[in-house]
Amino acid sequence: MRPILFEFPKRSSLGQHIKERLKAEEGCFTLRPFPDGESYLRIESNAKGRDVLINATLFRPNGWVLDLIFLADTLRSLGAKHIKLIAPYLAYMRQDKVFQKGEALTSKIFAQLLSNHFDSLLTVDPHLHRTESLSEIYKIPTTVVQAAPLISAWIHANVKDPILIGPDEESRQWVQGIAGELPLLVLKKERNSKGHVNITWPTFKDGNEKTPVFVDDIISSGETMLQAINQGKTLGLNKPVCVVIHPIFAGDSYEKLQQAGVLKIVSCNSIPHPSNVIDLAPLIVQSLGS
Ligand code: R5P
């Protein structure tokens, strides 16, 4: 039987592409706020005995997670056989350590919460840093899709003579996977308590003739990318291309980057954003089948 795919909180191009490729049935539900701000949810699809997929955009999770849990638990009460969460961007992965006594270890708490309400999870390039594998914090089976082949193909097709640049050590895992045989630089970053970043460049040669392609998994405040790009300018690099897997772009960071003299800002559609160019649906659907 065909799976049912629910899109949460609303339809996205990625969700539609996944649905078309899977030939899944579209899950229908009504979600609206009561006057007091609490949620009313009603599922209209028949989920009894069915495999259910929920494609959820989780990039600003605080306002949505409760409704997502209402959706999952209601589907279960209606007899859904298996409920898989597709969270192309997996939130709450960056506070993966208690740095100062008393801090919440939100990566683990969030993982436990989702594990209690879903049967399995599929995500794209989660921010694994001090946590090496999702199985350390998630109690349910997890699948990780890597966007590297799609990003690499985009760079080969669209950028002349590229040199890939990872703005910090954490980005090495992504940028190395994308680079393949292409030249690569990985910078060093320190962030102070106010969120400002300081970036150090390794010595390099032959980079100035090439097209710099800055690659990171997440752009949030944009500080990391902005600093790296501005320093690249002072080092005499050509106008860069900027590629990101998860385009959070908090506040006015997208506008600031656009004004920093970049050739192009390109993102994957894990989070709906005007910069979306790389469609993750083929890889997600391939991983759902395996
Ligand atoms: C963490 O190190 C990540 O790889 C990104 O570099 C970071 O999340 C970007 O954050 P922001 O845009 O706030 O500098």
Side-chain angles (χ1 to χ4, degrees):
M1 201 184 289
R2 293 192 300 157
I4 312 181
L5 179 93
F6 287 84
E7 286 228 63
F8 180 87
K10 56 184 182 196
R11 283 203 188 113
S12 62
S13 69
L14 174 60
Q16 290 304 300
H17 294 165
I18 295 173
K19 190 181 74 133
E20 283 157 20
R21 282 174 179 266
L22 279 179
K23 299 191 178 15
E25 179 185 326
E26 181 159 335
C28 298
F29 66 104
T30 300
L31 175 65
R32 57 178 152 80
F34 283 113
D36 61 4
E38 293 184 4
S39 297
Y40 168 87
L41 174 81
R42 176 167 180 262
I43 292 169
E44 284 113 28
S45 304
N46 181 3
K48 194 170 171 55
R50 304 286 296 274
D51 286 326
V52 172
L53 305 167
I54 301 177
N55 181 57
T57 305
L58 280 187
F59 80 106
R60 279 187 187 135
N62 291 16
W64 294 344
V65 164
L66 197 55
D67 289 337
L68 179 63
I69 287 170
F70 291 153
L71 180 63
D73 283 14
T74 309
L75 284 163
R76 197 174 302 285
S77 73
L78 292 170
K81 189 167 86 183
H82 184 101
I83 306 173
K84 182 187 281 291
L85 176 63
I86 303 173
Y89 169 63
L90 189 56
Y92 279 115
M93 286 299 294
R94 286 183 290 167
Q95 183 80 31
D96 56 0
K97 180 180 166 181
V98 174
F99 296 94
Q100 295 187 53
K101 188 167 178 272
E103 283 178 348
L105 187 53
T106 49
S107 63
K108 192 169 176 194
I109 299 169
F110 192 68
Q112 284 168 348
L113 180 72
L114 293 187
S115 298
N116 288 339
H117 296 272
F118 293 91
D119 296 312
S120 58
L121 167 75
L122 181 146
T123 188
V124 179
D125 289 303
H127 189 83
L128 293 169
H129 181 208
R130 284 158 287 250
T131 303
E132 284 185 11
S133 148
L134 287 181
S135 61
E136 288 173 35
I137 52 176
Y138 279 82
K139 291 184 291 184
I140 51 176
T142 55
T143 306
V144 169
V145 173
Q146 282 166 343
L150 295 174
I151 296 177
S152 184
W154 186 89
I155 292 171
H156 278 97
N158 293 282
V159 183
K160 196 168 158 241
D161 199 13
I163 175 167
L164 270 64
I165 304 176
D168 57 20
E169 270 300 327
E170 286 168 63
S171 69
R172 183 182 288 279
Q173 56 179 304
W174 291 284
V175 83
Q176 254 175 357
I178 292 164
E181 300 297 306
L182 295 174
L184 163 73
L185 283 177
V186 177
L187 316 183
K188 280 201 163 52
K189 173 177 90 180
E190 281 172 52
R191 195 188 291 265
N192 70 21
S193 56
K194 291 195 174 125
H196 297 307
V197 301
N198 186 25
I199 287 180
T200 323
W201 288 64
T203 46
F204 63 95
K205 50 178 188 170
D206 304 333
N208 293 50
E209 304 304 314
K210 298 185 180 295
T211 308
V213 182
F214 289 87
V215 179
D216 209 350
D217 62 329
I218 295 171
I219 296 181
S220 179
S221 69
E223 265 292 308
T224 304
M225 210 40 113
L226 211 51
Q227 289 297 335
I229 286 171
N230 284 338
Q231 287 188 7
K233 268 194 246 173
T234 63
L235 292 168
L237 294 189
N238 286 328
K239 273 193 173 191
V241 173
C242 177
V243 181
V244 61
I245 302 174
H246 303 299
I248 292 179
F249 287 118
D252 59 355
S253 54
Y254 184 56
E255 290 71 24
K256 280 187 181 156
L257 269 184
Q258 284 178 311
Q259 287 156 15
V262 291
L263 278 177
K264 200 169 176 55
I265 304 171
V266 169
S267 67
C268 299
N269 58 354
S270 64
I271 297 171
H273 189 268
S275 61
N276 289 170
V277 167
I278 299 169
D279 182 22
L280 295 166
L283 285 183
I284 290 178
V285 169
Q286 195 183 327
S287 299
L288 285 168
S290 60

